Amino acid sequence: MNDRHPPTKETLLTTDVSVAADCIRSGGLVAFPTETVYGLGANALDSDAVARVFVAKGRPANNPLIVHVADFEGVRSLSSSVPEYAESFMEAFFPGPLTLVLPRDPKVPYGTTAGLETVAVRMPDHPMALALIQQSGVFVAAPSANRSGRPSPTAWEDVYEDLNGRIDVILKGKPTKYGLESTVVDCTGEFPMILRPGGVSLEDLLLVHSQTAYSTSAALAAKSPGTAHRHYQPNAQVILVDHSRSLNLPEDAAFIGFSGGETARLRFEAVDVADYAHHLFSFFRQCEKEGIRTIYCEKVAPFGMGRALMDRLERASS
Ligand code: AMP
Ligand code: MG
């Protein structure tokens, strides 16, 4: 990672995709909406531009970036070989919240892959994101557009809060649909292996490939070293609870979950797991603004989207 200073000028806010595309093409940094969370994009094949992403976020150099493409050809161009089951996943879930880890084509710089021989690729299901990739004419490397370790941004205002003055442009869209990041699946072995649960569930993937499985923690450490860092943590203590109904919450506490926590100063009652996931990170940021010291989060059953939600809750509370 290089240690050049990020830009310190005011970040440009715009809804004009062509302005953002020009910026990416000339080596700049653009935050943009996707269906999962807001991403911080740079030309994936430009090592200098990618290095600036790490500086702007304060991201550890061993945590690789996901490269965003606008079509299937982009995936094939970035990888030296795409296994048949990965093609099946593309057919079933692209565009959408699924990232495929594939053998790297030599043109992808090690700065983007954090020194790995693999590259992570995804096609976002968002018109602004797709237009940005198409109009810039480059592949767009984009991690979540938050300062490293913080909750991911689900609205452009969250990006502004974390990165104003550190990046060139924020492409303003609506709040994101899922609110949690994509599922990351390793496609370099005989069978697909989930490295990070996300918007596409194990149950969804099993319908396409019956031998899909979660990685063991040893395999995860080898395949995805960046996942060991702290993640998703607000400036408040996060405590996970089974059932909050009988909880006596302190005065400065917040609660998010399905039921209970009535005495909390700030409270979000979700109608289902998708609604909970959709609001989690924005709730964390709202709690910060209101000076909440402790956030109680109701645990969910680890199935479907619930698995991804529990992953984020556990990391936020660790
Ligand atoms: P973020 O974009 O901030 O949500 O983080 C990207 C996620 O993708 C992290 O969990 C990375 O570890 C993972 N990732 C990106 N590239 C690779 C790769 N080549 N191999 C394994 N995991 C990857
Ligand atoms: Mg992230």
Side-chain angles (χ1 to χ4, degrees), residues 107-120:
K107 71 170 164 292
V108 184
Y110 285 123
T112 299
T113 71
L116 297 175
E117 289 304 336
T118 54
V119 60

Side-chain angles (χ1 to χ4, degrees), residues 37 57 59 62-66 68 99 101-102 112-113 116-120 142-144 146 152 181-182 184 186 195-196 223-227 231-232:
V37 301
K57 278 186 58 99
R59 186 174 176 96
N62 71 346
N63 196 3
L65 308 183
I66 295 171
H68 292 67
T99 296
V101 172
L102 296 160
T112 299
T113 71
L116 297 175
E117 289 304 336
T118 54
V119 60
S144 50
N146 50 280
S152 298
E181 303 79 357
S182 62
V184 179
D186 178 72
L195 300 176
R196 175 178 75 183
K223 294 272 187 184
S224 203
T227 51
H231 269 106
Y232 318 120

Side-chain angles (χ1 to χ4, degrees), residues 125-138:
D125 186 16
H126 194 290
M128 267 178 142
L130 292 171
L132 177 66
I133 301 163
Q134 276 157 353
Q135 290 184 35
S136 67
V138 301

Side-chain angles (χ1 to χ4, degrees), residues 75-76 78-84 86-87 101-105 187-188:
V75 180
R76 297 174 192 128
L78 289 164
S79 173
S80 57
S81 71
V82 182
E84 210 156 307
E87 291 274 357
V101 172
L102 296 160
R104 177 186 75 96
D105 183 272
C187 299
T188 62

